[in-house]
Amino acid sequence: KNDINMKSIGFVILFSLLCWSVKASYLLVPMDVKQTNHLKAYGMMYWILDQGLEGYWLLNYRGGSFCFVHTKSFEKECITRGVSFEVISVSEFNQIRAEIADPEINQEVMKLEKAPKIAVYTPEFNEKGERIQPWDDAVTLALTYAEIPFEKIYDREIINGLLSKYDWLHLHHEDFT
């Protein structure tokens, strides 16, 4: 009788694990022609990281797609933002990773774990003394549209030692000289 109970418990555990693995899935956010809103897709990945979760950047795979664990709330957020996505199984994700791991192709899986603190090096006022608006600067416009938080910094903030607060500083091409 005790042996039958142990077999029953083992069967229940095995069945539960099997059901969980069948339900487990990922959201693949393609960055190729299937993506209807590339900027919002970047913002979606940032949002996932900002929630304290991790995701994957599939470099050179379908335009540099993103992948993260599927939940109904993440799916809803993609729909709200107008971001195209595909629900894929764990085995499909593992197959993609195996394909990317082939040294003969120029692809890589990058695990993303932290949302970077972003700064854009830009003045508050233009040469005419007018306040710079978001639409005057392509980078701040793109980040704003993508819903990726950033701060504007300029000479004063750098002189005051605030540069170390940021993980990523965007410099416009004319500022490299």
Side-chain angles (χ1 to χ4, degrees), residues 32-74:
D32 56 12
V33 296
K34 298 252 177 151
Q35 184 52 254
T36 54
N37 200 326
H38 290 83
L39 288 175
K40 290 285 188 175
Y42 282 107
M44 183 66 201
M45 189 66 243
Y46 189 96
W47 183 79
I48 293 290
L49 296 173
D50 202 37
Q51 304 292 310
L53 303 168
E54 60 188 36
Y56 299 90
W57 193 1
L58 310 177
L59 300 173
N60 289 334
Y61 178 82
R62 294 187 59 189
S65 300
F66 297 107
C67 202
F68 44 87
V69 173
H70 173 245
T71 69
K72 285 293 181 189
S73 65
F74 295 166

Side-chain angles (χ1 to χ4, degrees), residues 42-169:
Y42 282 107
M44 183 66 201
M45 189 66 243
Y46 189 96
W47 183 79
I48 293 290
L49 296 173
D50 202 37
Q51 304 292 310
L53 303 168
E54 60 188 36
Y56 299 90
W57 193 1
L58 310 177
L59 300 173
N60 289 334
Y61 178 82
R62 294 187 59 189
S65 300
F66 297 107
C67 202
F68 44 87
V69 173
H70 173 245
T71 69
K72 285 293 181 189
S73 65
F74 295 166
E75 188 174 327
K76 182 180 177 184
E77 190 67 26
C78 282
I79 292 167
T80 301
R81 292 174 185 238
V83 172
S84 301
F85 64 91
E86 301 167 16
V87 178
I88 62 171
S89 68
V90 171
S91 63
E92 288 173 301
F93 180 58
N94 289 335
Q95 185 178 355
I96 291 168
R97 291 181 70 157
E99 179 185 323
I100 289 172
D102 181 349
E104 296 297 316
I105 60 173
N106 184 26
Q107 297 178 346
E108 189 67 50
V109 176
M110 289 292 276
K111 186 175 185 179
L112 304 174
E113 301 175 300
K114 179 184 178 244
K117 183 121 171 100
I118 300 170
V120 177
Y121 182 76
T122 187
E124 288 294 320
F125 299 93
N126 65 19
E127 61 279 350
K128 296 177 186 173
E130 302 164 334
R131 183 171 291 281
I132 293 177
Q133 300 299 318
W135 51 83
D136 293 332
D137 181 301
V139 173
T140 59
L141 182 63
L143 290 171
T144 300
Y145 178 78
E147 300 179 58
I148 297 175
F150 66 94
E151 294 179 20
K152 293 181 189 179
I153 66 169
Y154 204 55
D155 296 342
R156 183 181 326 117
E157 290 83 4
I158 292 172
I159 291 168
N160 288 332
L162 299 178
L163 194 56
S164 63
K165 288 177 36 183
Y166 304 98
D167 301 309
W168 172 15
L169 174 65

